[in-house]
Amino acid sequence: DVPPQLLPHLKVYLNSFFSLPVTRSDGTKLTHEEVVKQLDGLSVGYDITFGQGELFQNLVRITIRVEPKRYEEAVSFLKDLIYGAEFTKDRLEVTTAKVQQSLPELKRDGNTVLYAVSGDLLFDETSANKASDILAQMDHIPKLAQQLKDDPEAVISEFKRIREALTKPEGVRFSVFGNVLDVEKPRSPWKVFKEISSASLRPPPKSSESLTSLGKRPAKKAVVVTHPSIESSYGIHVTTGIQGFDHADQAALRVACEVLDATESFLWRFIRGSGLAYGAYMSLDAEAGHLSFSVYKAPDSFRAYEEGRKVIEGLANGSIPIDQTVVDGAKSSIVYSTVRSVSTPGSASSVAFLNQALKGVSQNFGRELLEKMQAVTIEDVKRVLGQYVLPCFLPESSVAVVVSSPAKSEEIAQGFTKAGFDVETRELDVGADEADGSDSEGDGSEASER
């Protein structure tokens, strides 16, 4: 419910959350230093971020980890952090300055810019993730810094409006992970949240609700961004996938993506093994309803895209055989990652909350999905490769974004034009002191299944 024009403030809102003055429920006033000191003494960790993992990025999640004996105290402190924080000019200026100092390094990162540009194409102004990405923040943060100088009261009023929107009772959820049996009265401390006691919950906002027309129907569009401070290229190709976590083809498509992504498997051998890219992988986003193919650190991302298309076509039509052992290995890999994701009591509880409270599926959804995957056949894999994955490589059913070094950007743009895309070229404005001619990315990247 945060108004779209205030969403760019969320980056500073989250970064300042644990370092603002607070008025406790009993009237005690704490300076920001006292808040930090008391939090460090009370907890073993605390955090605030968007969503849970890569999912539900239009939600804000606050986490405090404490010993059971400090449970009631932590609940009370959490309530005061949320409702009793005081937005002051000096603290907002400090946080804004810190955010501004972090932006140049993010801007030098080719992969970060890639996902910002693709997000700008696919998601509208109601997306909190889009409003907080590097491109939006490069434009917004200097304006916010100036606003704090010219009219701090107006900015403070806007931050209060953000808090009011975020804390509407019908959108707030609480979860407690741990041995609640060690707590004498695990529910009673939450009575301090009187504001939400009688609210009726509404479904959590999904990223599919923030799609642009191009995000709903990806087709024909390609954007090639020239980035002066990188030496390679990064690409992402997005098509319509499956929407909904319990979609009938979820199991088969997960297995198919793992068949493609596995070490020494098809994308590895044909793309990385041929020196066309450091990494190439598929990502399934069932929340937004997208399927994407990403290329990481490629000398020429268009050549990697072309090779990917040939591989998928060959697998779908049978000219490149899929061995049963490859499918079995993909299933085993998914089993391992699923078991690992619930290997501790905390992670198991987190997954159960995600499934039931946010995804709207059963507590044992992961296990149920694994059982369905065991029934997936080679023919199922070939079917979903043709139905869902191949459209990711066709201009009439996909959009493409590439961030490239100046040496290759023109050639890449020409390649996508010949392939049938409507190509738009852009040049990233990077200051002379930032264009150091080297990638700031790490050595690898992981696929993600949402």
Side-chain angles (χ1 to χ4, degrees):
D1 286 333
V2 177
Q5 69 271 20
L6 298 184
L7 285 174
H9 285 347
L10 281 175
K11 184 82 169 180
V12 171
Y13 186 98
L14 268 62
N15 276 271
S16 65
F17 185 80
F18 293 110
S19 58
L20 294 170
V22 169
T23 299
R24 299 298 307 268
S25 297
D26 61 4
T28 302
K29 291 187 176 294
L30 302 178
T31 66
H32 76 276
E33 293 100 336
E34 290 171 328
V35 169
V36 173
K37 183 177 180 181
Q38 290 194 23
L39 267 172
D40 289 340
L42 168 67
S43 70
V44 295
Y46 48 89
D47 184 42
I48 182 168
T49 188
F50 290 113
Q52 186 153 341
E54 294 183 341
L55 292 167
F56 299 98
Q57 293 292 299
N58 279 347
L59 295 178
V60 171
R61 177 169 58 90
I62 306 166
T63 304
I64 298 182
R65 293 176 289 277
V66 297
E67 296 177 359
K69 64 182 180 182
R70 311 294 296 274
Y71 172 71
E72 184 171 356
E73 188 181 350
V75 173
S76 177
F77 207 109
L78 175 62
K79 189 259 185 184
D80 292 339
L81 284 170
I82 294 172
Y83 296 98
E86 298 177 13
F87 302 107
T88 61
K89 176 178 181 289
D90 62 324
R91 295 309 305 163
L92 292 178
E93 283 183 327
V94 168
T95 304
T96 300
K98 288 181 178 178
V99 172
Q100 191 163 11
Q101 290 169 3
S102 71
L103 296 180
E105 182 177 355
L106 293 172
K107 194 177 180 182
R108 288 193 295 268
D109 186 305
N111 220 34
T112 299
V113 173
L114 175 75
Y115 283 97
V117 175
S118 64
D120 189 56
L121 286 180
L122 302 173
F123 297 97
D124 64 22
E125 70 280 355
T126 65
S127 167
N129 206 31
K130 172 180 174 177
S132 301
D133 70 29
I134 178 60
L135 298 182
Q137 291 297 296
M138 288 296 295
D139 177 65
H140 176 71
I141 290 297
K143 294 177 182 177
L144 177 59
Q146 190 61 47
Q147 281 181 290
L148 282 166
K149 292 180 181 178
D150 296 340
D151 194 354
E153 290 305 316
V155 175
I156 290 170
S157 176
E158 290 176 343
F159 273 72
K160 289 179 178 178
R161 287 177 63 195
I162 291 173
R163 175 168 59 193
E164 182 180 347
L166 290 175
T167 56
K168 284 187 176 180
E170 60 269 24
V172 177
R173 290 166 170 79
F174 296 106
S175 60
V176 180
F177 306 150
N179 187 2
V180 295
L181 297 179
D182 279 355
V183 180
E184 186 177 351
K185 297 179 178 180
R187 294 187 179 184
S188 297
W190 295 97
K191 291 179 180 178
V192 297
F193 286 86
K194 298 182 291 292
E195 297 86 348
I196 65 170
S197 58
S198 60
S200 297
L201 277 175
R202 64 185 181 193
K206 296 182 175 65
S207 56
S208 57
E209 299 165 7
S210 296
L211 295 175
T212 61
S213 58
L214 198 59
K216 294 174 183 176
R217 292 176 294 277
K220 299 293 283 185
K221 181 74 172 181
V223 178
V224 178
V225 181
T226 301
H227 195 314
S229 65
I230 66 174
E231 296 178 340
S232 53
S233 62
Y234 303 80
I236 184 168
H237 305 262
V238 181
T239 190
T240 302
I242 60 174
Q243 192 170 97
F245 301 101
D246 56 353
H247 192 283
D249 281 333
Q250 171 90 283
L253 194 50
R254 283 284 303 276
V255 173
C257 287
E258 186 62 33
V259 164
L260 296 173
D261 290 346
T263 302
E264 302 294 344
S265 192
F266 297 102
L267 294 182
W268 177 290
R269 285 192 283 117
F270 284 90
I271 296 178
R272 176 168 174 149
S274 301
L276 296 177
Y278 187 87
Y281 53 92
M282 304 299 305
S283 294
L284 175 61
D285 184 351
E287 183 187 351
H290 288 157
L291 182 72
S292 62
F293 168 70
S294 297
V295 175
Y296 179 82
K297 279 194 174 181
D300 182 338
S301 66
F302 178 73
R303 290 184 60 201
Y305 156 80
E306 278 194 310
E307 187 66 18
R309 177 180 54 79
K310 294 175 184 176
V311 171
I312 303 305
E313 286 177 341
L315 293 170
N317 64 29
S319 60
I320 298 177
I322 302 174
D323 192 82
Q324 184 62 49
T325 58
V326 173
V327 176
D328 292 341
K331 293 177 181 179
S332 296
S333 179
I334 295 172
V335 169
Y336 173 77
S337 62
T338 301
V339 171
R340 187 179 179 184
S341 71
V342 294
S343 59
T344 67
S347 61
S349 300
S350 180
V351 168
F353 173 78
L354 175 65
N355 285 339
Q356 297 175 89
L358 300 181
K359 287 184 175 181
V361 295
S362 74
Q363 176 182 347
N364 299 315
F365 173 72
R367 185 174 64 191
E368 295 164 1
L369 187 60
L370 290 179
E371 291 173 355
K372 293 177 182 177
M373 288 180 188
Q374 297 310 309
V376 172
T377 65
I378 292 177
E379 289 305 311
D380 292 328
V381 171
K382 291 167 65 176
R383 176 182 63 82
V384 296
L385 286 174
Q387 182 177 349
Y388 297 107
V389 181
L390 184 57
C392 201
F393 297 84
L394 304 176
E396 62 269 21
S397 53
S398 68
V399 297
V401 176
V402 172
V403 176
S404 171
S405 66
K408 279 289 184 179
S409 58
E410 184 177 353
E411 183 179 336
I412 290 172
Q414 291 172 351
F416 281 108
T417 299
K418 291 178 181 178
F421 287 89
D422 297 329
V423 178
E424 175 189 349
T425 58
R426 305 179 188 176
E427 184 164 351
L428 190 67
D429 182 16
V430 179
D433 58 330
E434 297 175 25
D436 58 8
S438 63
D439 289 299
S440 61
E441 263 296 310
D443 291 332
S445 185
E446 298 279 338
S448 64
E449 293 86 18
R450 297 187 183 184

